[in-house]
Amino acid sequence: MTVLLQIGRRPPEPAEGGRAAPAAGPPAACAEAKVFRSTQGAHLFVADGSRVYDLPEPVAARVERWTATPDASLPDLARELDLPLWSRPRIDGTPAEPPPLASLSLNVMQACNLSCGHCYADEGRFGGSARSMPRHTAHAAVDRLLAEAAPGADVVVGFMGGEPLLARDLVHDVVGYATRAGAAAGHPVRFSLTTNLTTVRPQDARLFAAHPFTVTVSLDGDRAGHDALRRAPGGASAYDRLRAGLEVLARHGRPRHLSARVSVTPHTGRLPDVLEHGIGLGFDEVGFAAVVSAPDPAYEITTRTFDGFLEQMVECGERALAELSAGRSYPFGNFLTAMQQLHRGTHRPYPCGAGAGYLSASAEGGLYACHRLVDDPAFAMGSVADGPDPQARRRHLAAGHVDRAEPCRSCWARYLCGGGCYHEVSRRGRPGCDYIRGWLAFCLRAYVELSQAAPEFFLPPPEPAATTAGATGLA
């Protein structure tokens, strides 16, 4: 059989010398390959390496029957159909070694000026008391990040809460300190900040514009939808304050990237309407995240409500596909991320870099796997003073490997999903697996169709012209 097309880049060859076998036997064929269809015909998705092939329809039907056979294996399929699949797996059950640290978020203010029932952080307190990070701890955290990073690598310092702009003096101080310390150590430093944008001031906007910042704003819809989920002191409108914050950014300085993150609850409005509203506010990107674990269970998306969530997400994705296919911009973040990852051939045994290249520092200087797991002893990863705990990170990466988890290792989408958010899985298990498979199946179809309709979408952006600002890293 001749393969007509392979979409995306070929993954790198694995290192020589072999690797350890998975913790259990190989998954069934249905976990290794999936047939799907688009307007362009039939296709085969191979989980290992996230490879996509065109197939003639008779062969596609044959493969579907074959993958439904319980004792079938992918190598057998490759030999039978003469598929040019690589002979050795890219991923097996061998846990990754902890890499150098690349990103560290600082919980500079574990308190918030809003009260939101769906906040995973319990207004930043994580079940404890409100507190802020001392200046010496923040500086020590930056020093620790630079010391643990790979030589010459870019690093990211994040600001989290609660509401980090309640500690604006510390944020401004740390940006200056990290920029100077990074330059001295040979590490370019970028910054991120997640905020409700209700307290932003002109000096904050100027800081965001003067340094390489990504700012993520929490948004829950239009005025009625946002205020229904975010309660401001004295009955004021959190939405009106957010809009005022956007005006401050427009007048005094816009960050390099300004995104909106919508935390979806059973009380959130129709997602296509929320998406259009966020795009209309001028964000560079608008994305959705289902609230799976919240202090108040009334705000959690359940297995039952995931069906409606998927339907609306696909509706948003279809709109993005139509707009992008016509050559127009449409900043639906979930869709753009999926397209980029499929094109790169992204395949990973973990959901994110938590506990690996990314850690989060609590106000007291403890290190944790991520900002959602602050103060959780099960995910403690050392301290700012003593450094990351390599044994804790190794245990975390061994336990979190997707091929060592059930039902993950039997799922065709496991190397795109990575097994699910550690915070959510530890609290609620995996109620969204069917949703994730449904969304990724749509994205596979959309990827093929977008590749044919607008291949220029996947071209790398042009290199920016050299300028004085660019030379200083401030553009």
Side-chain angles (χ1 to χ4, degrees):
M1 180 200 128
T2 301
V3 173
L4 303 180
L5 173 68
Q6 179 192 335
I7 301 174
R9 300 180 186 174
R10 174 173 172 152
E13 291 293 333
E16 294 297 327
R19 307 209 303 169
C30 62
E32 299 286 19
K34 175 181 175 59
V35 173
F36 68 98
R37 290 168 176 81
S38 73
T39 58
Q40 303 300 312
H43 317 278
L44 177 68
F45 172 76
V46 178
D48 186 45
S50 294
R51 288 162 278 163
V52 179
Y53 301 91
D54 281 348
L55 294 179
E57 181 57 45
V59 176
R62 184 179 171 191
V63 173
E64 282 183 308
R65 292 191 298 271
W66 188 89
T67 54
T69 304
D71 57 352
S73 70
L74 188 62
D76 291 340
L77 175 65
R79 285 191 294 271
E80 182 177 346
L81 300 180
D82 193 26
L83 285 172
L85 305 179
W86 296 282
S87 58
R88 290 180 294 163
R90 272 42 193 176
I91 299 175
D92 59 22
T94 306
E97 278 293 308
L101 204 57
S103 180
L104 182 66
S105 63
L106 312 184
N107 285 268
V108 292
M109 177 58 72
Q110 292 189 214
C112 188
N113 62 318
L114 300 182
S115 179
C116 310
H118 61 299
C119 177
Y120 69 84
D122 185 29
E123 300 179 25
R125 299 188 300 264
F126 294 92
S129 59
R131 54 213 185 272
S132 60
M133 179 177 284
R135 180 173 176 269
H136 67 85
T137 301
H139 285 198
V142 170
D143 293 339
R144 176 60 62 187
L145 171 62
L146 297 175
E148 299 288 338
D154 288 18
V155 297
V156 177
V157 175
F159 299 101
M160 300 292 298
E163 173 48 55
L165 289 180
L166 296 181
R168 66 171 30 83
D169 289 346
L170 180 60
V171 170
H172 284 248
D173 176 85
V174 169
V175 169
Y177 180 81
T179 300
R180 295 189 300 272
H187 291 286
V189 182
R190 293 178 283 117
F191 302 94
S192 68
L193 182 139
T194 299
T195 175
N196 58 41
L197 209 64
T198 61
T199 64
V200 68
R201 296 177 182 172
Q203 62 265 38
D204 304 324
R206 289 190 287 269
L207 180 79
F208 301 154
H211 296 271
F213 255 93
T214 293
V215 174
T216 302
V217 177
S218 300
L219 176 73
D220 289 313
D222 60 12
R223 191 176 192 273
H226 191 82
D227 286 346
L229 291 168
R230 297 184 180 273
R231 296 180 293 278
S237 169
Y239 179 83
D240 288 349
R241 293 185 177 184
L242 183 153
R243 291 295 299 268
L246 288 174
E247 289 296 321
V248 170
L249 297 182
R251 291 196 306 269
H252 298 282
R254 185 182 176 93
R256 181 173 296 184
H257 189 79
L258 181 64
S259 65
R261 182 184 187 273
V262 182
S263 298
V264 181
T265 78
H267 310 286
T268 303
R270 270 184 38 82
L271 300 192
D273 298 337
V274 175
L275 176 60
E276 290 287 343
H277 185 77
I279 293 173
L281 293 178
F283 286 102
D284 299 318
E285 179 182 316
V286 181
F288 297 110
V291 175
V292 176
S293 176
D296 184 346
Y299 292 96
E300 294 176 345
I301 298 289
T302 64
T303 302
R304 179 178 57 82
T305 52
F306 263 116
D307 290 342
F309 181 56
L310 173 60
E311 181 181 342
Q312 294 185 52
M313 284 289 288
V314 170
E315 185 177 344
C316 294
E318 293 282 14
R319 190 172 301 181
L321 175 60
E323 292 295 306
L324 294 169
S325 295
R328 295 185 291 268
S329 172
Y330 198 79
F332 177 26
N334 303 72
F335 185 85
L336 297 178
T337 297
M339 296 301 101
Q340 293 158 2
Q341 291 188 346
L342 288 170
H343 192 65
R344 288 198 300 267
T346 296
H347 56 294
R348 61 186 189 273
Y350 301 100
C352 63
Y358 167 59
L359 295 175
S360 188
S362 70
E364 294 85 359
L367 293 178
Y368 296 86
C370 85
H371 56 279
R372 301 188 71 176
L373 295 164
V374 164
D375 291 345
D376 186 336
F379 292 92
M381 300 281 159
S383 68
V384 166
D386 298 327
D389 181 340
Q391 294 307 316
R393 295 169 77 195
R394 287 191 181 96
R395 287 193 298 269
H396 169 74
L397 293 172
H401 195 293
V402 72
D403 279 339
R404 297 184 170 213
E406 291 292 357
C408 299
R409 66 182 307 273
S410 302
C411 177
W412 63 266
R414 65 193 182 280
Y415 299 144
L416 295 175
C417 163
C421 168
Y422 298 117
H423 175 265
E424 294 171 357
V425 170
S426 68
R427 270 66 171 176
R428 290 281 313 283
R430 296 181 172 90
C433 290
D434 287 342
Y435 156 73
I436 292 170
R437 281 188 287 267
W439 170 248
L440 290 173
F442 161 74
C443 288
L444 284 169
R445 170 176 69 80
Y447 173 64
V448 173
E449 294 176 4
L450 184 59
S451 297
Q452 295 299 310
E456 65 277 4
F457 172 82
F458 296 100
L459 295 176
E463 291 291 330
T467 64
T468 303
T472 62
L474 303 181

